[in-house]
């Protein structure tokens, strides 16, 4: 299953995931509560990630699920209840990253209660960098420096930091 809180057809994720063999696609059209719409692009991360955890819980193991969140992308919209809470950022993007962090934390709190959690490898990465306030990320190489995090709840992966250059296409081989 692939999850993307944006309007169906956005970035052709729905069509592409079906072509890649995903059985299910969940986007704005499949999301049950229009009150969680950000007014421009799609569903805010926190409710969409909770929806995602619930739908993943319906999948038959073994499964592959992908999620593309939207809140940390322009136009950097926060849910009304967080507009006066997430205010410490140097740029508007920082405030939505704080919100996305909260949404991801709450996803993991929910997921940790599911049967599939301890048998799941979580891969977290970015699609690109964003607004640059640090000169290191204003270079051609810097604009493409993103983290790739691998997390397995029961410790199958030893915690470490690797500084080698890699790219998103390396993720499948790394998983294998």
């Amino acid at each position: 299953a692939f999850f993307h809180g944006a309007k169906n057809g956005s970035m052709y994720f729905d069509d592409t995931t079906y072509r890649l063999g995903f059985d299910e696609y969940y986007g704005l059209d499949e999301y049950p509560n229009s009150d969680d719409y950000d007014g421009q692009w799609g569903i805010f991360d926190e409710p969409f990630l909770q929806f995602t955890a619930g739908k993943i819980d319906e999948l038959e193991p073994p499964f592959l699920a992908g999620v593309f969140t939207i809140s940390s992308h322009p136009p950097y919209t926060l849910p009304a209840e967080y507009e006066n809470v997430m205010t410490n950022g140097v740029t508007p993007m920082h405030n939505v990253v704080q919100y996305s962090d909260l949404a991801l934390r709450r996803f993991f709190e929910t997921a940790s209660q599911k049967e599939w959690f301890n048998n799941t490898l979580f891969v977290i990465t970015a699609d690109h960098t964003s607004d640059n306030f640090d000169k290191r990320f204003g270079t051609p190489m810097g604009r493409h420096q993103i983290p790739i995090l691998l997390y397995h709840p029961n410790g199958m992966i030893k915690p470490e930091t690797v500084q080698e250059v890699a790219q998103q296409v390396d993720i499948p081989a790394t998983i294998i």
Side-chain angles (χ1 to χ4, degrees):
F2 192 85
F3 301 84
H4 184 217
K7 298 173 185 171
N8 292 43
S10 174
M11 301 192 303
Y12 304 103
F13 279 152
D14 49 355
D15 184 54
T16 301
T17 55
Y18 285 127
R19 290 172 187 249
L20 291 173
F22 284 80
D23 296 319
E24 301 291 334
Y25 176 85
Y26 297 94
L28 180 65
D29 291 353
E30 292 74 25
Y31 187 80
N33 187 354
S34 62
D35 292 342
D36 297 328
Y37 182 63
D38 70 2
Q40 187 151 352
W41 196 14
I43 304 301
F44 286 113
D45 288 356
E46 184 179 13
F48 193 75
L49 287 172
Q50 292 302 307
F51 169 76
T52 298
K55 287 297 182 183
I56 289 173
D57 203 37
E58 297 173 7
L59 298 176
E60 187 74 32
F63 59 81
L64 170 69
V67 182
F68 188 99
T69 58
I70 65 168
S71 294
S72 61
H73 291 80
Y76 305 134
T77 306
L78 286 169
E81 66 265 29
Y82 294 112
E83 286 177 356
N84 295 318
V85 176
M86 309 291 178
T87 59
N88 295 330
V90 176
T91 70
M93 186 258 318
H94 289 151
N95 296 335
V96 294
V97 168
Q98 289 175 47
Y99 166 70
S100 293
D101 181 65
L102 175 134
L104 196 56
R105 185 176 335 112
R106 292 200 172 140
F107 167 82
F108 275 98
E109 288 168 358
T110 298
S112 69
Q113 304 303 310
K114 306 292 185 181
E115 283 187 36
W116 46 265
F117 181 75
N118 285 323
N119 294 321
T120 301
L121 172 64
F122 295 90
V123 179
I124 303 170
T125 191
D127 54 335
H128 55 80
T129 60
S130 195
D131 296 345
N132 298 311
F133 65 96
D134 185 322
K135 291 180 183 180
R136 293 175 297 168
F137 300 109
T139 66
M141 175 71 98
R143 281 191 290 277
H144 295 91
Q145 290 182 314
I146 59 170
I148 299 174
L149 304 157
L150 303 175
Y151 169 65
H152 197 282
N154 69 11
M156 289 182 69
I157 297 174
K158 182 183 122 195
E160 65 178 306
T161 300
V162 177
Q163 295 292 333
E164 295 175 23
V165 174
Q167 52 191 327
Q168 291 154 331
V169 74
D170 296 320
I171 293 172
T174 301
I175 291 170
I176 290 171

